[in-house]
């Protein structure tokens, strides 16, 4: 339904020119929960503002339901936003805030009132309808912002880090709530966050961004299992990186070697998740390496084992804590570890900002 | 706080309190007293109680047959003062609000320059500025010279000494007083709220009416009071621009103490003017403190 | 550049009205200044460029006397009112409420609530009596009157600043064994200085600006710049009026520019 083609955005001019987005392209399907994930300053808000119409693109096209909307002012786009600051109208009640879009569209009162009540019921705030919006808690404001943006049934709902101002507990609740709302309404959500966990748990698909580029677009599972490049691997979950040499489908790290069909010849970077590192020698079809246990960090359910390889490369392994002690490692101990070929990924370097 | 501390603080404030009491509050009390006395023969008063001063604010007694009639002259001036002040306030809003908006939406680096342009007239002598507008509409002033020069008119238009002239003069001299508080309010306005409004399908006009104006209202009200109060009590500008033809209350008061030789009437008019100003100020305080209560309560 | 994008800060028509506003504000002043360089005697009747009327002004003893009176008045009234206002502001801030605090605040703002013409008339009545009784005719009456209406103008910025000031600084100084006066001199006063300066400037300009009060209270020979100008306006309309007006305009430009430079440096 939404097709973004080669969309770029530059701010300023001459020496002060900043490119916030580099020819970003992707499509979003009807009813999808689509997340933009990336570190601060990577251009998430800029992309959202382009879709909402608060700024115009420097190039590229923005096609919604077959129509180019790049030049359409925001008040004509069937797209609504939940602002990071909520931007609730402080001089209006909760009910007036929610009714705003319908009033602006000139809908009749007989249509507005039931729609507002229905929306407030959906976000469980009907009892606060006549409260001033400045007299609400953070979580309540969040819900009002949501109801206000949903009431006019937008084709796409844009959410710019809507949960970042909430505390941990409320945030978890709202994550579930948001997901429920999205399922119930069947609306398309574009959700911005810099919290990878939030992105992984909520999204149908995620676009990982950095430096104004989209690094990878995939389902959460795919992103975690098959990160397209070193940036994505590092940003999503924890990862270990190893420098290796590959030739004819065999990779070599120090004394260890293993067959890895998709490795291109030459120097490559390998990635492995901490939970896939095996702290013993007898794993079949694995890269076996000597390592020193540098530090053990207890985390309750599991222990992080910090390892140093012969060449100085640092790795982290995560082992579940068994009920009765289990294997006992000591700091300073030298052990053999194995990295199963199944868990090893060859990662490219990421596209960087020009 | 201890008694000694309270005393120390009173002592610190005393010089200012004494000066104002002696030279502002006390004289005002004397004016109030004078309004209940009998006019002297050559100005001043006779110490005989009388309500004639107050009576003649609104009425006049025919000296031949003692009939009582509404004083058209005084009421005319009273009404003119209020109406011209209201219109002045309205015109300054019409020009001041867009100007404040314009300045507040310039890049930060440019705003100082524009504010500088507003502050200069604000700090310039009122008389000088009144002389400057007068030059524009005098019978051989700029406008008439231009119109005559272009052959549009053949005789100068008499613009001075009219309600129009007073209105023009007051608008000109009080305009900066409107821009300053409205600018301060718009500068505090969160433009993300305007974004939210446009995002929710509002037009420019709808956004202005429903989001922007309600939120910058305190600034507009403050500006209105800052323009209305000195307009109502204006003396210099109406004297130069309106002359004897288009007098305001301030000029009428002056007249009673001067040529009119009716000090009690002048005193009663002075108290009337002061009360009108106080009413405006009370209305303003009500309006602003009422809002605060609603915000907290 | 791509298509013009939507600008939320734009309101159609505001730019036009704003430009109109600046034009309205500046055209009359510009014309006044232009005519001050007129060589003709009749105001507004252009006869050629000349500095003649500036020359005539600075050799005009009445004008010079008025300027000196204005200066004496403005300096005395603004200094005295600023000192008194500072003391009063110190008395009514940084403390829990005390008996009479509200009364002090209202008294200090009282001159602002009364139209200038009313205050002037009120003072004429009283001062007229005193003049008759004592025979004193000096500038003292004008100084007292100007000080009175200058006090609230000095008081407001100083009090606002004190209210916004961090009390803990004074407490910290007291904690470090500083005495009351030492704390005031080394901590409070330096922090307050910009507000005192702006209070002083406001009082100075307000005194310089005053026409009504001076016109009603002055004894013969006590013309200030505005009253002199007003008299000339009535008596003889010559181009000299515009030269003097332009000089006053220049003075306010200098004052505004000066205060901007002063506050900019502080930031
Ligand atoms: N109005 C602007 N003028 C100039 N540069 C801008 C403007 N808005 C954004 N930028 C720049 O564009 C880049 C992307 O900004 P953007 O706000 O989109 O980041 P973000 O991903 O939303 O970051 P965050 O997580 O901190 O909100 C940044 O380098 C920023 O400095
Ligand atoms: Mg952002």
């Amino acid at each position: 339904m939404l097709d973004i083609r080669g969309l770029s955005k530059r701010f300023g001019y001459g020496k002060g020119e900043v490119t916030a987005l580099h020819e970003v392209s992707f499509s979003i399907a009807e009813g999808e929960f689509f997340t933009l994930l990336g570190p601060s300053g990577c251009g998430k808000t800029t992309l959202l503002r382009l879709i909402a119409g608060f700024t115009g693109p420097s190039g590229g096209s923005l096609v919604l339901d077959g129509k180019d909307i790049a030049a359409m002012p925001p008040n004509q786009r069937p797209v609504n936003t939940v602002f990071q600051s909520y931007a609730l109208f402080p001089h209006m009640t909760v009910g007036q805030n929610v009714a705003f879009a319908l009033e602006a569209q000139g809908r009749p009162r007989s249509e507005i009132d039931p729609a507002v009540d229905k929306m407030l019921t959906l976000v469980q705030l009907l009892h606060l309808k006549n409260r001033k919006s400045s007299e609400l808690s953070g979580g309540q404001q969040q819900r009002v912002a949501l109801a206000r943006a949903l009431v006019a049934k937008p084709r796409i709902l844009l959410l710019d880090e809507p949960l970042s101002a909430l505390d941990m507990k409320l945030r978890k609740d709202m994550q579930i709530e948001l997901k429920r709302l999205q399922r119930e309404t069947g609306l398309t959500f574009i959700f911005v966050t810099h919290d990878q966990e939030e992105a992984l748990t909520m999204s149908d698909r995620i676009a990982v961004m950095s430096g104004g580029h989209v690094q990878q677009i995939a389902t959460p599972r795919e992103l975690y299992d098959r990160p397209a490049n070193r940036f994505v691997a590092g940003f999503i979950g924890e990862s270990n990186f190893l420098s290796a040499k590959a030739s004819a489908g065999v990779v070599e790290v120090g004394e260890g070697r293993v067959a890895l069909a998709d490795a291109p010849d030459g120097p490559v970077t390998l990635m492995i998740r901490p939970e896939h590192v095996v702290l013993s020698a007898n794993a079949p079809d694995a890269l076996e390496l000597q390592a020193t246990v540098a530090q053990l960090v207890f985390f309750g359910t599991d222990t992080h084992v910090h390892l140093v390889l012969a060449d100085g490369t640092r790795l982290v392994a995560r082992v579940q804590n068994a009920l009765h002690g289990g294997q006992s490692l000591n700091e300073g101990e030298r052990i053999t570890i194995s990295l199963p070929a199944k868990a090893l990924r060859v990662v490219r370097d990421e596209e960087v900002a020009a | 706080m201890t008694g000694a501390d309270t005393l120390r603080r009173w002592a610190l404030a005393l010089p200012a309190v004494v000066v104002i009491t002696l030279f502002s509050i006390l004289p005002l009390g004397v004016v109030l007293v004078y309004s209940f006395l009998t006019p002297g023969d050559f100005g001043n008063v006779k110490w005989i109680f009388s309500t004639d001063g107050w009576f003649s604010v609104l009425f006049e007694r025919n000296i031949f047959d003692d009939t009582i009639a509404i004083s058209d002259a005084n009421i005319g001036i009273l009404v003119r003062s209020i109406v011209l002040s209201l219109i002045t306030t309205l015109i300054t809003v019409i020009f001041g609000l867009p100007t404040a908006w314009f300045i507040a939406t310039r890049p930060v680096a440019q705003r100082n320059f524009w504010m500088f342009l507003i502050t200069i007239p604000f700090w310039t002598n009122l008389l000088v500025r009144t002389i400057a507008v007068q030059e524009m509409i005098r019978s051989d002033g700029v406008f008439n010279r231009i119109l005559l020069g272009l052959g549009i008119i053949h005789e100068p238009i008499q613009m001075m000494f009219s309600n129009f002239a007073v209105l023009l003069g007051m608008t000109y001299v009080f305009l900066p007083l409107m821009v300053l508080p409205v600018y301060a309010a718009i500068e505090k306005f969160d433009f993300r709220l305007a974004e939210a409004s446009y995002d929710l399908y509002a037009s420019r006009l709808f956004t202005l009416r429903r989001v922007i104006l309600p939120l910058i209202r305190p600034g507009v009200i403050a500006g209105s009071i800052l323009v209305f109060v000195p307009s109502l009590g204006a003396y210099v500008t109406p004297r130069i621009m309106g002359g004897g033809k288009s007098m305001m209350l301030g000029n009428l008061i002056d007249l009673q103490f001067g040529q009119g030789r009716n000090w009690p009437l002048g005193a009663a008019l002075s108290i009337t003017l002061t009360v009108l100003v106080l009413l405006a100020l009370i209305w303003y305080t009500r309006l602003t403190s009422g809002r605060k209560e609603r915000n907290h309560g | 550049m791509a298509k013009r994008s939507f600008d939320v800060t734009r309101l159609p028509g505001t730019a036009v009205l704003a430009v109109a506003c600046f034009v309205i504000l500046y055209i009359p002043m510009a014309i006044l200044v232009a005519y001050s360089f007129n060589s003709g005697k009749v105001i507004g009747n252009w006869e050629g460029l000349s500095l003649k009327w500036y020359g005539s002004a600075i050799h005009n003893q009445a004008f010079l006397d008025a300027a000196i009176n204005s200066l004496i008045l403005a300096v005395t009234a603004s200094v005295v009112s600023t000192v008194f206002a500072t003391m009063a502001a110190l008395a009514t801030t940084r403390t829990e409420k005390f008996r009479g605090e509200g009364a002090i605040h209202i008294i200090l703002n009282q001159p602002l609530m009364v139209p200038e013409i009313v205050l002037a008339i009120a003072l004429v009545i009283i001062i007229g009596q005193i003049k008759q009784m004592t025979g004193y005719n000096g500038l003292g009456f004008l100084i007292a009157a100007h000080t009175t209406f200058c006090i609230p103008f000095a008081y407001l910025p100083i009090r606002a600043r004190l209210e916004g000031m961090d009390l803990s600084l004074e407490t910290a100084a007291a904690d470090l064994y500083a005495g009351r006066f030492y704390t005031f001199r080394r901590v409070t006063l330096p922090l307050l200085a910009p507000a005192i300066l702006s209070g002083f400037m406001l009082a100075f300009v307000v005194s310089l600006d005053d026409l009504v009060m001076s016109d009603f209270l002055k004894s013969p020979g006590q013309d200030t710049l505005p009253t002199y100008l007003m008299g000339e306006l009535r008596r003889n309309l010559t181009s000299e009026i515009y030269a003097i007006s332009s000089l006053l305009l220049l003075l306010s430009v200098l004052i505004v520019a000066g205060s901007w430079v002063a506050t900019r440096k502080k930031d």
Side-chain angles (χ1 to χ4, degrees), chain B residues 36-99:
Chain B
F36 289 103
L37 297 178
T38 308
D41 298 329
F42 308 98
N44 216 327
V45 288
K46 290 191 200 125
W47 284 82
I48 304 165
F49 178 81
S50 156
T51 51
D52 274 3
W54 283 99
F55 178 80
S56 20
V57 170
L58 298 180
F59 305 101
E60 56 195 3
R61 190 165 302 183
N62 191 308
I63 33 173
F64 302 110
D65 56 9
D66 240 24
T67 49
I68 292 168
I70 298 265
S71 165
D72 291 338
N74 288 2
I75 291 186
I77 291 174
L78 198 70
V79 170
R80 178 191 290 126
S81 298
I82 295 173
V83 171
L84 288 188
S85 300
L86 285 175
I87 300 179
T88 302
T89 310
L90 190 71
I91 301 177
T92 52
V93 170
I94 291 172
F95 282 97
L97 195 132
T99 306

Side-chain angles (χ1 to χ4, degrees), chain A residues 49 75 77 80-81 91 103, chain B residues 193 195 198-199 201-202 210:
Chain A
R49 290 172 61 82
N75 49 11
R77 296 190 191 192
N80 290 148
T81 310
H91 57 299
E103 285 175 6
Chain B
L193 294 176
E195 259 177 18
Y198 291 125
D199 185 57
Y201 313 111
R210 299 291 288 274

Side-chain angles (χ1 to χ4, degrees), chain B residues 1 24 117 125-126 135 172, chain C residues 9 25-26 95 110 209 242:
Chain B
M1 189 185 275
S24 181
L117 288 189
N125 196 295
L126 178 82
E135 170 60 39
Y172 182 72
Chain C
T9 65
L25 281 178
Y26 277 90
T95 169
Q110 187 268 345
D209 198 40
Y242 286 4

Side-chain angles (χ1 to χ4, degrees), chain A residues 11 20 39-46 161 194:
Chain A
F11 289 109
S40 188
C42 69
K44 306 180 296 283
T45 298
T46 304
E161 309 206 19
H194 58 242

Side-chain angles (χ1 to χ4, degrees), chain A residues 242-261 263 268 270 281 283-290 309 336-342 344:
Chain A
L242 296 130
S243 305
K245 266 212 284 295
S247 60
V250 173
V251 293
E252 206 181 301
V253 179
E255 73 280 8
R257 51 178 49 223
V258 72
L260 213 59
V268 294
L270 297 179
D285 217 358
L287 192 61
E288 288 192 358
L289 297 167
Q290 297 298 312
L309 301 185
T336 304
I337 60 170
S338 24
L339 313 178
K342 271 193 312 201
L344 283 171

Side-chain angles (χ1 to χ4, degrees), chain C residues 235-255:
Chain C
R235 289 186 296 267
N236 23 9
L237 276 174
T238 63
S239 294
E240 194 184 292
I241 291 180
Y242 286 4
I244 295 174
S245 296
S246 300
L247 287 174
L248 279 174
L249 184 63
L250 178 68
L251 182 68
S252 39
V253 173
L254 289 179
I255 289 176

